[in-house]
Amino acid sequence: MAAGDAEAAKGANPELAAGVAAGQAEEQCMPRDAHVVLSVLKSMGVEECDDRVVHQLLEFMYRYVGEVLGDASAYAGHADRSTLELDDVKLAMQARVNFAFAQPPPREVQLELSSARNRVPLPGLGAAKTSGGGIVALPPSDRTLSQRNFQVGSDTQPR
């Protein structure tokens, strides 16, 4: 918010002015990374969110970057280098994406698996399990899970 917003709110409503000033003070004490996360959220159309969302995203970001850089450092050490190169970081990111964020199989593979599964017919129900017309007969109501499985007692307990 701009400084003019606080002055305009001050003249209109003192409580609103206090809220605007508190919001500005809160924004100023936030770390730069939190501002970046907020700007990314705003660019994606998120106008308002809980403060814990920003903290959760920051925690995820720090953890992910730390793990990627740790992996990249191990790759550089494996190559007998003491400095990280862009290829080390790219390899670490690709390995992390393949490991942490599993992709579903391609559509063709899914279609092939589903057609193979659907070729096997469902087992028949038999005459004993169906009533007239091929309709499945349900068990008696006292044998179903929709029945009450508790007893209601009175408030007075016998002594």
Side-chain angles (χ1 to χ4, degrees), residues 24-104:
Q24 288 175 348
E26 185 178 311
E27 278 187 21
Q28 289 175 352
C29 71
M30 285 177 34
R32 184 175 55 104
D33 292 341
H35 284 290
V36 171
V37 168
L38 279 174
S39 67
V40 168
L41 287 171
K42 285 181 182 177
S43 72
M44 296 181 73
V46 177
E47 296 296 326
E48 199 174 323
C49 67
D50 190 359
D51 292 337
R52 294 177 293 179
V53 171
V54 175
H55 294 296
Q56 187 69 39
L57 290 172
L58 283 172
E59 181 181 337
F60 174 76
M61 183 177 69
Y62 288 141
R63 183 180 303 145
Y64 180 76
V65 169
E67 289 172 355
V68 166
L69 290 177
D71 292 348
S73 176
Y75 296 150
H78 183 70
D80 293 329
R81 284 184 276 110
S82 60
T83 59
L84 290 179
E85 293 182 359
L86 179 61
D87 289 336
D88 299 328
V89 176
K90 284 182 178 180
L91 181 62
M93 286 175 60
Q94 187 61 43
R96 187 65 52 184
V97 164
N98 289 341
F99 175 71
F101 305 107
Q103 298 294 320

